[in-house]
Amino acid sequence: MITFNKPYATGKELTYINQAITKGHISGNGLFTQWCNTFFCEMLNAPKALLTHSCTAALEMCAILLNIQPGDEIIIPSFTFVSTALAFTRMGAKIVYIDSEENTPNLDATKLEKYITGRTKAIVVVHYAGVACDMDFIMSLADKYQLWVVEDAAQAIGSYYKGQTLGAIGHLSTFSFHETKNIQCGEGGMLVINDPKFAERAEIIWEKGTNRARFFRGEIDKYTWVDTGSSYLPSDMNAAYLKAQLELLDDIQSRRIHLSTLYNKNLNVLVKQKKIKVISFPPYATNNGHIFYLICKDLDERTRLIEYLKHENIQSVFHYLGLHNSPYMLTIDNPTKQSLAQCQTYADTLLRLPLYYELTPQEIQYISSKIIDFYG
Ligand SMILES: *Cc1c(COP(=O)(O)O)cnc(C)c1O
């Protein structure tokens, strides 16, 4: 069976975990955590980055930092993972769902303005499959209406918008190192603070509402409880694992991009015949090889293709169902029976193919030929 995902281990993980154990600091904010934080600060040219135990945790920290109050409205795409919304509904926010654009599952920025009200507090953009949203346009709207922008860059490591690194553009941004992501440590995430006004408070929220980080830097002589927060730090063993991955970021990315390009080349014949569409990149976006997807004609065709591939020992998977109609949303909001046509299309027709570091070009050839057979 060719599985959909296989988490890649570089071989250095155990060496670093051993070092963390030997150093005797395996709780949070040890040397490996600090190494990972610095790596992100440098990569994104950001004033502060904090390693968390998940991207979900980093998004929760965003909601706290933005002081989200009941009744505040947050605009997010419906076609995303639960956490993008959950982090804000927990604080009593009303989520305003926006449809995807036609050419990518990203939020349709041209529709944003009509969703903005006096209660809108933030826009959370998701760079689906690592493909950039139209950030210049989104940031200019945010500027006009004085809104915060959070980039949920969970899938977007090493990808760019007009030459700018994703995650470096919004006021805050978050990354995921869940085992399904390009760079992973099992479970992990990163909060990146681009607007320095959030830097000091973020560190406090990160460490259970205390100013412990300042104490350990020797800036104050005792630490105490000063704000709200939670325990958002992962163990330094997780950070040690992550260091091994981040050191090989360029290698991992270029391998994945290469594999995704091979799919593109092999399946182009079906695209030309208009039988399928495949992942596409607006002129301002780059490919980071996170996901390779195709778009089937309809739900029925996709269901048959999944079955067909399974029969040929290939695991392929669909993705989000759209959050606006999810059972939980309907319990906390008036069931608006909102219909988001593009989101529904992606929910019904998008199919992700296996893509991971150790997948071989021969396997991609095999998978592609089976898809071509299906349509033949
Ligand atoms: C994976 C993912 C998350 C959640 O990441 P965790 O690290 O598992 O919390 C959030 N948003 C998006 C868009 C994701 O793809």
Side-chain angles (χ1 to χ4, degrees):
M1 189 78 181
I2 304 177
T3 58
F4 171 67
N5 182 47
K6 189 171 164 213
Y8 173 58
T10 67
K12 265 289 204 49
E13 286 82 355
L14 283 174
T15 310
Y16 289 147
I17 289 173
N18 257 319
Q19 285 178 16
I21 295 168
T22 311
K23 284 198 176 87
H25 183 127
I26 53 177
S27 61
N29 204 5
L31 287 177
F32 286 102
T33 300
Q34 284 158 19
W35 188 93
C36 294
N37 291 349
T38 303
F39 185 95
F40 270 76
C41 283
E42 284 171 3
M43 178 168 74
L44 300 173
N45 199 14
K48 192 157 217 77
L50 296 170
L51 190 66
T52 57
H53 50 74
S54 63
C55 180
T56 306
L59 287 162
E60 287 180 9
M61 290 180 69
C62 293
I64 299 172
L65 281 168
L66 299 181
N67 261 323
I68 298 307
Q69 306 292 324
D72 286 347
E73 294 178 7
I74 312 287
I75 303 176
I76 74 166
S78 182
F79 193 79
T80 182
F81 188 64
V82 174
S83 306
T84 319
L86 176 63
F88 296 89
T89 57
R90 290 172 74 256
M91 307 284 286
K94 177 179 159 58
I95 306 294
V96 176
Y97 291 103
I98 182 165
D99 207 357
S100 298
E101 29 178 41
E102 194 177 334
N103 293 325
T104 81
N106 288 342
L107 63 76
D108 186 346
T110 63
K111 293 191 179 135
L112 260 176
E113 199 159 11
K114 68 175 189 202
Y115 287 92
I116 296 172
T117 73
R119 312 202 73 168
T120 308
K121 199 83 183 269
I123 303 167
V124 185
V125 302
V126 178
H127 307 295
Y128 182 79
V131 179
C133 297
D134 189 356
M135 292 309 291
D136 280 349
F137 183 72
I138 292 163
M139 294 309 291
S140 72
L141 271 186
D143 209 39
K144 182 172 166 191
Y145 293 98
Q146 309 237 307
L147 308 176
W148 300 114
V149 174
V150 177
E151 292 179 76
D152 179 346
Q155 305 178 9
I157 194 167
S159 205
Y160 297 85
Y161 170 79
K162 295 185 184 170
Q164 285 173 276
T165 318
L166 294 185
I169 305 168
H171 303 96
L172 298 167
S173 69
T174 64
F175 289 87
S176 172
F177 312 118
H178 185 264
E179 72 168 21
T180 51
K181 304 302 201 287
N182 287 21
I183 297 292
Q184 58 87 24
C185 61
E187 300 273 2
M190 185 69 76
L191 170 67
V192 176
I193 288 112
N194 294 316
D195 185 331
K197 113 180 183 61
F198 295 114
E200 193 179 329
R201 189 164 180 237
E203 207 174 55
I204 290 166
I205 292 166
W206 190 50
E207 293 227 56
K208 304 104 180 163
T210 72
N211 48 10
R212 189 167 172 273
R214 288 192 66 195
F215 172 71
F216 278 106
R217 280 197 301 268
E219 294 168 14
I220 44 178
D221 51 17
K222 47 180 163 321
Y223 79 83
T224 182
W225 186 13
V226 294
D227 200 341
T228 187
S230 187
S231 182
Y232 286 118
L233 306 86
S235 142
D236 218 44
M237 288 192 288
N238 254 37
Y241 187 111
L242 188 64
K243 179 183 180 190
Q245 301 257 317
L246 289 171
E247 280 180 338
L248 287 190
L249 175 65
D250 291 344
D251 175 47
I252 292 170
Q253 298 291 88
S254 60
R255 170 85 187 169
R256 295 184 67 118
I257 293 166
H258 173 64
L259 296 174
S260 131
T261 311
L262 287 182
Y263 271 129
N264 208 35
K265 226 166 79 196
N266 293 343
L267 295 174
N268 195 32
V269 49
L270 295 178
V271 175
K272 278 207 185 120
Q273 294 168 358
K274 298 212 179 335
K275 293 195 164 139
I276 58 168
K277 287 191 239 169
V278 295
I279 183 170
S280 74
F281 303 91
Y284 50 72
T286 58
N287 182 9
N288 73 343
H290 178 54
I291 288 175
F292 186 88
Y293 67 78
L294 54 84
I295 304 288
C296 300
K297 186 178 82 214
D298 54 27
L299 177 59
D300 175 63
E301 183 181 280
R302 186 183 69 182
T303 308
R304 285 186 292 111
L305 179 54
I306 291 173
E307 274 309 304
Y308 182 85
L309 292 175
K310 194 165 139 200
H311 189 74
E312 304 290 347
N313 294 316
I314 301 159
Q315 189 188 19
S316 62
V317 293
F318 54 84
H319 217 174
Y320 308 126
L321 300 175
L323 297 179
H324 66 290
N325 286 330
S326 60
Y328 182 64
M329 264 329 290
L330 299 183
T331 67
I332 59 171
D333 205 0
N334 290 329
T336 45
K337 295 255 163 42
Q338 198 184 0
S339 125
L340 299 175
Q342 293 299 338
C343 172
Q344 196 57 50
T345 302
Y346 287 112
D348 289 345
T349 64
L350 184 146
L351 185 67
R352 293 177 294 159
L353 302 179
L355 184 57
Y356 48 86
Y357 188 89
E358 288 167 287
L359 192 67
T360 66
Q362 292 72 26
E363 285 170 320
I364 295 209
Q365 185 61 45
Y366 172 75
I367 297 164
S368 306
S369 72
K370 291 301 166 191
I371 294 171
I372 292 167
D373 287 352
F374 175 83
Y375 283 100

